[in-house]
Amino acid sequence: MTEIISSYQSRITKCANKKKSPIILALDYDLDNDNNSYLLDKCKEIVTITESQICAIKINFHLFLSLSYIQLLNLNMLAHKFDLQSIADIKLNDIGNTNKVTVTKLQKLGFDAVIVNPFIGVTEMKSIVNYAHSIKFGIISLVYMSHPTSFEGYGLQISSTNAYRKNLDSIPMYRLLYSYARSSGVDGIVIGATKIDIIKEISELHEIKIYSPGFLTQGGSILEAINAGTDYFIVGRHILNSSSPITDLKHMLYQIEKAKKI
Ligand code: XMP
């Protein structure tokens, strides 16, 4: 493995500037086919077609459960060949030792960053962020998910007795998770594109880059998200199922540029 000298944040910024695109492609192929070389070929094909319009790929359980170690490595090597970053979306949420081993193995597989679930608490968050940064790996943490019923978790009003919030009677869960993200120094946070008010509230603090999934197929609007403060736009099925992925990506980029100028 070649030595990594810059941080994940500077790498993704560089990729986004070079490609002039803040779009991250979620490779969520759901193929009713046991042939995993066909799946790998499909992923490589869409990455090759779209690489000029995106800054990163995102891989989650769709592929982890189907592709082999070598195939995942192969896909990440292709992403790097095209100057793209690769994010593992496994919403990591375990004890410290397991988190550390997982990050080490993800990096060996060619990943640049992982999405974690901050429910592990601020102490474990700090520990995994410190370790990840020591090996130039990125940590992105959930703040508010995109699905319609995410308020059942992220929107709960909680009374917290921990050191961070002992003076407050009750706060929404997502604010506590955000405070964990900020204190631990993560590289980014995830707020669903369907939660415009939350994106706006958090982006006004100008502290951490916001990654938003949930566009188009899930109903999120590019224009509303960019106006609210989304930095990176995650999109999957709208592009994977498109008959013209490049046209659709160019249209997304046009909307992003247009909104920036308003
Ligand atoms: P679509 O097809 O809806 O894909 O464009 C969205 C991708 O993003 C993932 N996803 C999330 N990941 N926090 C995350 O970390 C979220 O709130 C969230 N919502 C969607 C989804 O699994 C898919 O890969």
Side-chain angles (χ1 to χ4, degrees):
M1 199 172 66
T2 48
E3 199 199 347
I4 303 169
I5 47 173
S6 59
S7 68
Y8 161 73
Q9 273 197 67
S10 58
R11 296 197 305 274
I12 190 141
T13 305
K14 204 169 148 200
C15 295
N17 289 340
K18 181 173 175 192
K19 307 281 178 161
K20 297 190 174 48
S21 171
I23 298 177
I24 297 170
L25 182 64
L27 290 177
D28 297 340
Y29 278 117
D30 173 21
L31 298 174
D32 206 8
N33 185 326
D34 286 338
N35 182 348
N36 55 1
S37 19
Y38 176 70
L39 173 61
L40 178 64
D41 288 347
K42 284 287 288 177
C43 292
K44 288 170 84 169
E45 183 187 45
I46 192 78
V47 172
T48 305
I49 292 172
T50 59
E51 59 90 12
S52 62
Q53 314 294 316
I54 60 175
C55 63
I57 57 170
K58 184 177 81 66
I59 293 179
N60 75 9
F61 291 107
H62 291 69
L63 300 190
F64 276 98
L65 295 173
S66 302
L67 297 182
S68 71
Y69 187 97
I70 295 293
Q71 288 173 321
L72 282 167
L73 187 60
N74 196 296
L75 187 53
N76 284 333
M77 281 168 68
L78 181 73
H80 288 160
K81 190 185 113 189
F82 288 132
D83 270 331
L84 303 172
Q85 293 289 284
S86 180
I87 300 167
D89 183 0
I90 56 169
K91 301 177 178 72
L92 185 60
N93 181 21
D94 216 309
I95 59 166
N97 183 63
T98 305
N99 294 337
K100 193 172 165 188
V101 172
T102 305
V103 162
T104 309
K105 285 185 180 282
L106 287 172
Q107 190 177 54
K108 285 200 175 128
L109 264 171
F111 286 99
D112 297 280
V114 65
I115 298 179
V116 303
N117 187 333
F119 217 80
I120 52 177
V122 70
T123 311
E124 286 300 345
M125 285 283 288
K126 281 182 178 170
S127 161
I128 194 59
V129 169
N130 286 342
Y131 173 66
H133 286 179
S134 76
I135 57 168
K136 312 287 184 200
F137 198 80
I139 300 288
I140 299 165
S141 100
L142 298 177
V143 165
Y144 211 122
M145 289 189 70
S146 60
H147 55 292
T149 51
S150 60
F151 65 86
E152 291 172 357
Y154 297 88
L156 285 178
Q157 282 294 126
I158 52 162
S159 298
S160 174
T161 53
N162 82 17
Y164 281 83
R165 291 289 172 189
K166 63 185 167 203
N167 296 327
L168 293 180
D169 291 338
S170 161
I171 54 159
M173 176 72 79
Y174 75 88
R175 283 206 197 131
L176 180 69
L177 300 182
Y178 177 72
S179 74
Y180 288 178
R182 197 195 52 226
S183 317
S184 56
V186 298
D187 302 282
I189 52 173
V190 184
I191 305 177
T194 48
K195 314 293 170 193
I196 291 299
D197 292 348
I198 316 281
I199 298 176
K200 200 162 187 306
E201 174 191 332
I202 302 290
S203 76
E204 278 168 3
L205 303 170
H206 299 290
E207 290 172 326
I208 312 177
K209 296 284 181 199
I210 298 178
Y211 291 62
S212 295
F215 292 102
L216 306 156
T217 314
Q218 289 187 59
S221 141
I222 304 270
L223 255 131
E224 284 181 23
I226 190 123
N227 287 333
T230 289
D231 296 288
Y232 291 102
F233 298 73
I234 299 172
V235 63
R237 289 164 293 176
H238 182 70
I239 299 301
L240 302 184
N241 299 331
S242 165
S243 55
S244 183
I246 282 286
T247 310
D248 285 342
L249 280 168
K250 282 188 172 162
H251 183 63
M252 280 180 74
L253 286 172
Y254 169 75
Q255 284 185 300
I256 293 168
E257 281 311 308
K258 198 171 87 179
K260 273 191 200 159
K261 285 182 191 140
I262 296 171

